[in-house]
Amino acid sequence: MSKPTHVAVFDFDGTLLPKTQKSLFDIMDKTLSEGHRKEIEEIRQNFFKKFHSNQLTPEEDRLFYFQAAKVYIKAGLSVSKVKSVLAETKLRPFVPETIRFLHEQGVPIAIISYSYFQWIDFVCEQNGVSSFISKIYAANLVIKDGLICGYRPETFVFSENKGVFSRQFARQYGVPEENILAVGDSAADARLGYLKKNRLGLARDQAEKEKIQEFFGEVIITETFDPVLEWLEKKLAG
């Protein structure tokens, strides 16, 4: 196989997953007991309050994430429960076709997400695209006897290191940073990929488009991936 000219990196929640669907965190939180659910909801409320007011520091970002992970561990969440709850989770319409297209074009694909590796991997498998994904950058959980019992902090993805992982992925294939094509949906993806002009944002409406426009070279309002495929085709054509 010839050396690739580009790589493609995608956010997951709100990007490969529809914005109309809850995030994987929201789905998994429903499996928790009332006490654990209240605990994690309080963590998330504090996080989003600071995130949306642009007051969140990198240190606080990590703290909130680690606190949430510890709740899942404390709750004794099992892999079988995770799989049963995520079994019906669907990717956006036309995502599988887009991923297959990139694979056929010899473009390596990575998912770089704030979510958990095992959850993303299972949803990709259920949707028939896991064999086309070269790498998933996401928090890797430690599983023992079918239960989540820990996490590997060095694998956690935050807004500020999405660019680091993007460039790391490109270097793996000898692709220049300028040829990283990135697709995200929020301010958290401001560092996804490398060049702003090669970063596409997905919005649900005009208000959201205006809110995230500064972080992307282009923003489109869509719930399907058809226009994403068109954008990728144009970028690959040069």
Side-chain angles (χ1 to χ4, degrees), residues 5-225:
T5 59
H6 295 74
V7 297
V9 296
F10 297 91
D11 173 52
F12 196 73
D13 286 325
T15 301
L16 296 185
L17 286 187
K19 282 182 175 288
T20 52
Q21 179 172 283
K22 294 290 187 181
S23 73
L24 295 188
F25 288 117
D26 292 322
I27 295 171
M28 294 312 306
D29 289 354
K30 293 178 181 178
T31 69
L32 302 175
S33 66
E34 183 177 354
H36 288 132
R37 191 162 59 249
K38 285 183 178 179
E39 186 177 354
I40 210 163
E41 283 175 357
E42 183 177 345
I43 292 170
R44 298 219 197 290
Q45 285 174 1
N46 291 333
F47 168 81
F48 284 116
K49 182 178 179 180
K50 290 215 166 191
F51 176 77
H52 291 304
S53 61
N54 293 319
Q55 296 178 334
L56 189 70
T57 66
E59 293 75 20
E60 289 173 326
D61 195 3
R62 287 177 168 79
L63 178 61
F64 285 133
Y65 201 98
F66 293 151
Q67 288 175 333
K70 289 176 181 177
V71 175
Y72 290 121
I73 296 166
K74 184 167 55 176
L77 190 60
S78 68
V79 174
S80 60
K81 184 66 174 179
V82 170
K83 289 186 174 182
S84 66
V85 172
L86 296 180
E88 301 302 319
T89 304
K90 300 296 182 184
L91 300 175
R92 277 190 197 243
F94 227 71
V95 164
E97 291 85 348
T98 300
I99 289 177
R100 291 189 185 99
F101 164 77
L102 290 172
H103 178 73
E104 291 168 358
Q105 296 299 309
V107 178
I109 303 163
I111 294 171
I112 304 178
S113 172
Y114 201 73
S115 191
Y116 293 106
F117 171 87
Q118 285 83 355
W119 299 0
I120 295 171
D121 189 45
F122 180 69
V123 172
C124 287
E125 180 183 340
Q126 290 295 104
N127 284 266
V129 299
S130 59
S131 62
F132 305 125
I133 306 296
S134 301
K135 179 79 173 180
I136 297 174
Y137 294 92
N140 204 337
L141 298 168
V142 177
I143 311 296
K144 184 176 182 181
D145 297 327
L147 296 177
I148 296 171
C149 62
Y151 55 84
R152 296 182 172 87
E154 72 277 7
T155 64
F156 280 43
V157 173
F158 305 100
S159 178
E160 76 270 12
N161 66 11
K162 284 194 171 188
V164 174
F165 287 128
S166 297
R167 295 190 296 275
Q168 182 183 109
F169 182 65
R171 286 196 298 271
Q172 180 181 337
Y173 293 92
V175 171
E177 298 172 337
E178 295 78 9
N179 287 357
I180 305 173
L181 304 177
V183 183
D185 76 302
S186 72
D189 299 312
R191 295 178 180 83
L192 186 66
Y194 183 64
L195 294 179
K196 181 178 177 179
K197 70 177 183 178
N198 285 339
R199 186 182 306 122
L200 177 67
L202 308 184
R204 75 176 79 218
D205 52 35
Q206 185 62 32
E208 187 172 66
K209 178 178 180 178
E210 293 173 2
K211 183 178 179 181
I212 67 173
Q213 183 71 68
E214 64 179 293
F215 308 112
F216 300 90
E218 182 180 349
V219 177
I220 54 178
I221 300 171
T222 183
E223 274 300 331
T224 76
F225 239 56

